[in-house]
Amino acid sequence: MSTSYPQQLMLPGQAAAPGGPVDMTVMYLMHHGFRRDLRKFAAAAPATPVDDRATWRALLTRWDRFAGVLHHHHSGEDAGIWPWLMARADADERATLEAMETEHDEIDPTLAACRDLLAVLADEAPGTAGAGRSREEVRAGLSVRLAEAADRLGAHLRHEESEAMVIFQRYMTPEDWKAVEAEHFRSKETLGQLAYMVAWIAEELPTDVLRGALDDAGFGMRVVLRLGRPGFARLERKAFRRLPG
């Protein structure tokens, strides 16, 4: 008897969507958000005048939102997904899973460096930060670090989507994933935090994908999105207002 697996979501920029028993839509929606955000930050840095401190402060606030979501996501993988799979994988598969954690560790310092430089431009860094460098030099350094962050995170997401998710689908069942997700990925957010997160996920999604995700999630999620979109949009306008268009 043949097994019918869910159709996996494939979004622009995504490397792969390996087939299997677990619907990984939420995982790929998160990856889409991470790619989108780093692209927008990389474009905003050179476009924002160095003395526009209000916009730099908004960019710093927006960066902290992005970094918080990414940290929660990676922490869930490191504490939940990779150890669960390591206990079942063969030697070659374990090498791939170990690389996932190593790549997380390599990405973190680059993200921290981006945040430090944003804080200098927002005038919210310690007094010694940025010492001896002009604001133009700090902005140039930020552009370099953002490009590095995009490259490293992009390579990691491609590696995860094309190889680690194959291992995931080989061993996980929907019931296994539900248990891991509940323990390591679900957090007790306030309604406001949840509303922002849903709006963050929805940003720049293809219309048919967003419609399908909302249909699957139910009417309540449409209400949450409606609550979250105004605040999300206000911060987007402030942070990315210097972007063309």
Side-chain angles (χ1 to χ4, degrees):
M1 186 172 66
S2 62
T3 300
S4 178
Y5 288 151
Q7 182 175 351
Q8 300 296 331
L9 180 64
M10 189 75 183
L11 289 165
Q14 191 174 317
V22 184
D23 183 349
M24 296 309 295
T25 292
V26 174
M27 178 75 73
Y28 297 140
L29 290 174
M30 300 300 290
H31 286 192
H32 176 267
F34 300 143
R35 288 182 168 107
R36 176 206 63 223
D37 276 8
L38 281 176
R39 172 179 52 79
K40 291 177 74 170
F41 279 111
T48 303
V50 292
D51 292 325
D52 185 357
R53 287 168 171 79
T55 300
W56 288 113
R57 285 193 290 271
L59 281 165
L60 178 61
T61 298
R62 181 62 173 78
W63 178 269
D64 287 342
R65 294 283 183 97
F66 155 75
V69 174
L70 180 60
H71 175 73
H72 178 70
H73 182 78
H74 280 179
S75 296
E77 291 179 337
D78 289 342
I81 295 178
W82 313 140
W84 193 98
L85 293 174
M86 286 285 285
R88 295 157 176 83
D90 63 26
D92 289 340
E93 293 166 339
R94 286 196 294 273
T96 297
L97 299 171
E98 288 167 357
M100 292 295 102
E101 295 191 57
T102 299
E103 289 165 13
H104 285 180
D105 292 340
E106 292 171 348
I107 291 164
D108 287 345
T110 304
L111 298 178
C114 291
R115 206 262 177 209
D116 290 345
L117 294 169
L118 276 167
V120 171
L121 291 163
D123 285 347
E124 294 188 14
T128 56
R133 289 182 291 177
S134 68
R135 293 182 67 84
E136 288 81 3
E137 289 171 330
V138 172
R139 183 178 63 177
L142 174 62
S143 293
V144 171
R145 287 296 194 175
L146 286 169
E148 181 183 352
D151 285 346
R152 287 193 170 185
L153 184 59
H156 169 69
L157 294 178
R158 288 192 298 274
H159 192 187
E160 181 177 316
E161 290 161 357
S162 60
E163 297 188 34
M165 286 298 103
V166 173
I167 302 169
F168 180 102
Q169 295 285 13
R170 186 173 295 147
Y171 293 103
M172 279 264 188
T173 67
E175 294 73 25
D176 294 328
W177 172 232
K178 185 176 181 180
V180 170
E181 188 180 28
E183 182 175 358
H184 297 286
F185 286 88
R186 299 282 174 85
S187 57
K188 295 180 180 179
E189 299 133 333
T190 66
L191 178 58
Q193 290 169 331
L194 178 61
Y196 180 90
M197 171 67 74
V198 173
W200 179 88
I201 289 172
E203 179 72 1
E204 293 189 12
L205 277 182
T207 301
D208 60 329
V209 173
L210 177 58
R211 185 183 299 116
L214 291 172
D215 287 346
D216 290 343
F219 178 74
M221 198 58 69
R222 292 181 182 275
V223 174
V224 172
L225 176 59
R226 181 166 293 189
L227 289 172
R229 265 186 162 160
F232 176 85
R234 282 194 296 273
L235 181 54
E236 293 296 283
R237 286 194 298 270
K238 290 178 182 177
F240 299 113
R241 72 188 190 92
R242 298 292 186 170
L243 290 182

